[in-house]
């Protein structure tokens, strides 16, 4: 019943209802996006759980306190990710120095990471992927995460990042190339074929 | 360029192997500086990444939800109850406080312009209307009254002019001049008492005719104050006494104001005070 009601309303309708104080609608909206946004922040902000929590809370508090900032001409999904993206940019500015230091450390760790085994290990692959992603340029990483993790279209990503679609495509392309190179040591080829 | 817009490498990687690509798509992959071998490698990495991502649980910590929902409650619920007199998102002329002030100022101006005049006029009208009613209520028409009203003004004139000292009797003087005149015209205290007591004695008489006809003689009758007072206390009926007094005042007032004036007013309370003073003085 709850799921049916949840599906009945679009994000935009839920947002409109939330703006006038409808608690249930706001809760539905939160349930739809909180997890995704949290994961987005987690990946974009150096896998810092506390920071990701704070940013997730902040973005929803913004929705609570200033719902009028929602641009009704845009889809809610695109809007919330663009807000999240801007919040990430602010974090990058504030932590530019720390970020550089962190990047250096992760590069070392990735480079030093030797193949654990010829067997494919999903858990290790995931860890390696997360670490490798930290070495990727933030714009490329952003496009890649939005595309692969959040399954947004190229157009939507272009809207969120305020760039041309071609730029988004090329960013994703280069990110894939780099990641494939970094993670090639895990040689997932055979194991992946088996798992399929 | 057209193909570049048409295709997306990640779409191709996630959807088809190199072998399944069309010639056009292969041309596009070649333009992306990707060999068939690297395409396959990238494809497998991409699929694996997609799998890893899709297996992730998208859950935010529950603490966040608790805090956010609490913030939502506090933001929306009190807003309905609280009436802010000054809202930050409005212009000064749209502020509730400004509007209340303006309304109050307008009301104040209206009151100053119209209020006092209207109230004076109303007061005047009310007193004018109330006077006759008051008289009617306080002196209900009795047999005595009807008889008294039948007495012509000429007769009254005669009676009063016969004894000019009586003119000082009835009303409390309104100002010092009147008071001085009245005092000069007043008889000595003993005489006043005699007059008063005689009046009371007069009111004992049940017949109105007799009361008025004997008024003159009663005034001049030599009566000892103590005896009469005693007899008056024991026999006088308060109501009859009041009626007698009223009739005197009525006649005196009528004479004073003139026969053309329709409204005759006198204050019983004043009369009562006057009477009280004299009794206690005596």
């Amino acid at each position: 019943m709850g799921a049916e009601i949840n599906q009945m309303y679009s994000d935009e309708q839920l947002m409109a209802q939330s703006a006038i104080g409808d608690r249930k609608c706001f809760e539905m909206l939160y349930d739809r996006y909180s997890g995704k946004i949290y994961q987005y922040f987690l990946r974009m902000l150096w896998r810092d759980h506390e920071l990701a929590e704070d940013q997730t809370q902040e973005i929803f508090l913004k929705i609570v306190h200033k719902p009028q900032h929602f641009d009704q001409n845009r889809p809610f999904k695109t809007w919330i990710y663009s807000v999240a993206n801007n919040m990430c940019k602010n974090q990058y500015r504030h932590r530019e120095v720390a970020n550089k230091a962190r990047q250096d450390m992760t590069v070392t760790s990735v480079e030093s990471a030797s193949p654990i085994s010829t067997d494919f290990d999903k858990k290790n692959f995931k860890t390696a992927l997360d670490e490798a992603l930290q070495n990727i340029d933030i714009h490329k990483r952003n496009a890649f995460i939005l595309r692969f993790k959040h399954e947004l279209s190229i157009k939507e990503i272009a809207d969120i990042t305020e760039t041309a679609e071609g730029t988004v495509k090329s960013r994703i392309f280069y990110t894939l190339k780099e990641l494939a190179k970094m993670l090639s040591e895990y040689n997932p080829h055979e194991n992946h074929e088996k798992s399929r | 360029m057209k193909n570049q817009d048409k295709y997306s490498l990640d779409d191709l990687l996630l959807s088809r192997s190199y072998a399944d690509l069309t010639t056009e798509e292969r041309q596009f992959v070649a333009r992306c500086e990707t060999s068939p071998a690297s395409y396959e490698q990238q494809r497998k990495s991409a699929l694996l990444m997609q799998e890893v991502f899709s297996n992730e649980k998208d859950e935010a910590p529950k603490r966040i939800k608790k805090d956010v929902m609490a913030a939502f409650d506090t933001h929306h619920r009190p807003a309905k109850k609280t009436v802010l007199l000054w809202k930050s998102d409005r212009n000064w002329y749209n502020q509730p406080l400004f509007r209340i002030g303006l309304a109050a100022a307008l009301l104040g101006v209206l009151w100053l312009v119209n209020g006092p005049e209207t109230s004076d006029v109303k007061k005047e009208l009310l007193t004018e209307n109330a006077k006759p009613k008051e008289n009617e209520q306080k002196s209900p028409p009795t047999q005595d009254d009807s008889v008294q009203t039948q007495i012509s003004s000429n007769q009254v004139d005669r009676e009063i002019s016969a004894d000019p000292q009586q003119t000082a009797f009835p009303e409390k003087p309104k100002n010092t001049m009147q008071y001085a005149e009245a005092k000069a015209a007043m008889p000595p205290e003993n005489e006043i008492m005699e007059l008063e007591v005689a009046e009371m004695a007069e009111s004992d008489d049940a017949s109105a005719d007799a009361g008025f006809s004997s008024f003159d003689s009663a005034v001049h009758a030599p009566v000892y104050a103590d005896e009469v007072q005693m007899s008056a206390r024991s026999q006088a009926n308060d109501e009859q006494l009041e009626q007698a007094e009223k009739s005197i005042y009525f006649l005196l007032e009528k004479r004073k104001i003139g026969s053309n004036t329709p409204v005759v007013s006198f204050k019983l309370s004043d009369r009562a005070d006057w009477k009280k003073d004299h009794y206690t003085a005596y």
Side-chain angles (χ1 to χ4, degrees):
Chain A
M1 186 68 183
E4 281 174 20
I5 293 168
N6 199 351
Q7 285 171 356
M8 267 168 61
Y9 295 104
S10 68
D11 295 340
E12 292 73 28
Q13 284 173 323
L14 291 177
M15 182 60 201
Q17 287 298 308
S18 302
I20 56 169
D22 191 323
R23 196 177 194 275
K24 280 189 178 177
C25 287
F26 178 73
E27 200 170 357
M28 275 193 258
L29 199 65
Y30 178 87
D31 290 339
R32 276 188 197 178
Y33 282 96
S34 61
K36 288 175 185 175
I37 295 293
Y38 173 72
Q39 287 296 330
Y40 175 77
F41 279 126
L42 200 61
R43 284 240 155 67
M44 293 301 292
L45 300 173
W46 318 289
R47 297 205 64 79
D48 186 335
H49 289 265
E50 278 186 21
L51 189 59
E53 278 183 30
D54 289 347
Q55 295 299 301
T56 309
Q57 187 170 329
E58 201 179 318
I59 200 169
F60 281 100
L61 288 178
K62 277 181 184 175
I63 294 171
V64 168
H65 294 298
K66 292 173 182 177
Q68 70 273 14
H69 285 195
F70 168 58
D71 184 359
Q72 292 181 345
N73 298 321
R74 291 175 74 180
F76 179 79
K77 191 179 184 180
T78 317
W79 177 76
I80 197 169
Y81 276 112
S82 64
V83 174
N85 181 40
N86 289 333
M87 287 167 74
C88 287
K89 282 179 186 171
N90 289 338
Q91 287 298 318
Y92 297 145
R93 278 190 214 111
H94 291 143
R95 297 193 178 192
E96 201 173 355
V97 179
N99 189 31
K100 274 182 184 174
R102 193 182 281 265
Q103 268 187 348
D104 293 341
M105 283 170 70
T106 38
V107 167
T108 317
S109 64
V110 167
E111 280 173 353
S112 64
S114 56
I116 300 161
S117 65
T118 50
D119 293 332
F120 173 63
D121 189 341
K122 274 185 186 175
K123 202 176 177 183
N124 285 341
F125 179 80
K126 187 180 177 298
T127 314
L129 175 64
D130 287 336
E131 285 179 354
L133 275 171
Q134 299 307 314
N135 298 322
I136 308 283
D137 171 69
I138 49 168
H139 299 295
K140 288 180 188 170
R141 192 198 317 168
N142 190 25
F144 177 80
I145 289 168
L146 289 172
R147 182 78 179 119
F148 277 79
K149 168 67 186 159
H150 300 282
E151 297 173 349
L152 298 179
S153 68
I154 301 291
K155 197 182 174 185
E156 285 173 330
I157 297 168
D159 190 14
I160 290 163
T161 56
E162 294 172 350
T163 48
E165 287 182 35
T167 313
V168 175
K169 280 181 186 176
S170 70
R171 279 176 183 172
I172 292 169
F173 167 73
Y174 285 112
T175 311
L176 269 173
K177 234 178 180 180
E178 280 180 53
L179 285 174
K181 198 178 172 184
M182 282 180 193
L183 301 170
S184 62
E185 290 168 343
Y186 288 90
N187 192 20
H189 176 71
E190 288 173 11
N191 296 289
H192 184 64
E193 285 297 320
K194 278 178 196 172
S195 67
R196 289 183 81 197
Chain B
M1 194 64 190
K2 264 189 178 179
N3 286 343
Q4 240 178 340
D5 289 340
K6 194 176 173 182
Y7 299 113
S8 165
L9 188 66
D10 57 285
D11 279 340
L12 294 175
L13 287 172
L14 293 170
S15 58
R16 280 171 287 174
S17 66
Y18 190 81
D20 297 334
L21 296 176
T22 60
T23 322
E24 220 175 68
E25 287 166 343
R26 282 181 186 182
Q27 284 173 353
F28 169 72
V29 170
R31 267 199 302 277
C32 293
E33 296 172 5
T34 310
S35 65
S38 65
Y39 177 88
E40 284 302 320
Q41 196 189 356
Q42 280 180 37
R43 173 173 153 73
K44 273 141 201 168
S45 296
L47 285 170
L48 199 59
M49 283 187 272
Q50 195 185 39
E51 197 184 336
V52 167
F53 286 139
S54 61
N55 286 339
E56 272 182 353
K57 283 184 180 176
D58 288 339
E59 275 182 6
K62 287 181 180 176
R63 181 188 66 80
I64 304 173
K65 185 174 182 178
K66 203 178 168 184
D67 291 350
V68 168
M69 293 314 290
F72 184 87
D73 290 341
T74 49
H75 181 75
H76 284 282
R77 286 183 186 164
K80 289 175 184 171
K81 290 174 188 171
T82 314
V83 180
L84 293 172
L85 289 176
W86 199 271
K87 295 175 181 176
S88 56
D89 59 336
R90 289 190 185 181
N91 290 322
W92 63 270
Y93 50 83
N94 277 335
Q95 294 292 348
L97 186 65
F98 175 76
R99 289 186 171 186
I100 290 165
L102 189 67
L106 284 170
L107 282 171
V109 168
L110 278 172
W111 184 81
L112 283 170
V113 171
N114 296 322
E117 271 184 31
T118 337
S119 64
D120 281 355
V121 171
K122 277 180 185 174
K123 268 182 196 172
E124 221 168 281
L125 285 167
L126 279 170
T127 43
E128 286 291 329
N129 291 333
K131 275 174 187 174
K133 281 179 189 174
E134 220 173 77
N135 293 340
E136 281 167 22
Q137 280 174 358
K138 287 186 178 175
S139 57
T142 57
Q143 202 182 350
D144 293 357
D145 285 338
S146 63
V147 173
Q148 286 162 13
T149 47
Q150 281 170 6
I151 299 166
S152 67
S153 60
N154 291 337
Q155 194 183 348
V156 173
D157 288 347
R158 247 186 294 118
E159 281 176 359
I160 292 169
S161 63
D163 190 0
Q165 286 179 340
Q166 285 180 28
T167 51
F169 184 74
E171 207 171 32
K172 221 173 176 179
K174 284 179 181 176
N175 55 40
T176 46
M177 283 297 286
Q178 278 181 336
Y179 181 75
E181 283 172 17
K183 203 175 177 182
M186 270 174 75
E189 257 186 31
N190 288 342
E191 278 184 37
I192 292 169
M193 270 317 300
E194 279 175 14
L195 191 71
E196 189 73 10
V197 170
E199 184 191 335
M200 286 192 290
E202 180 67 28
S203 64
D204 287 349
D205 202 339
S207 163
D209 277 334
F212 257 86
S213 61
S214 63
F215 176 76
D216 216 27
S217 58
V219 163
H220 300 288
V223 186
Y224 289 105
D226 288 338
E227 285 173 18
V228 176
Q229 194 179 16
M230 286 297 288
S231 64
R233 276 178 188 169
S234 60
Q235 293 172 12
N237 186 324
D238 284 341
E239 207 173 294
Q240 286 175 343
L241 190 68
E242 274 299 310
Q243 282 170 6
E245 283 173 4
K246 277 176 200 170
S247 64
I248 293 161
Y249 285 122
F250 177 81
L251 295 169
L252 288 170
E253 278 292 317
K254 203 169 180 183
R255 178 179 157 68
K256 194 177 174 185
I257 294 163
S259 57
N260 292 333
T261 315
V263 180
V264 178
S265 67
F266 56 86
K267 289 179 183 175
L268 283 172
S269 57
D270 290 349
R271 169 67 189 139
D273 289 342
W274 183 89
K275 194 175 83 181
K276 193 182 163 189
D277 291 342
H278 279 268
Y279 279 143
T280 47
Y282 186 79

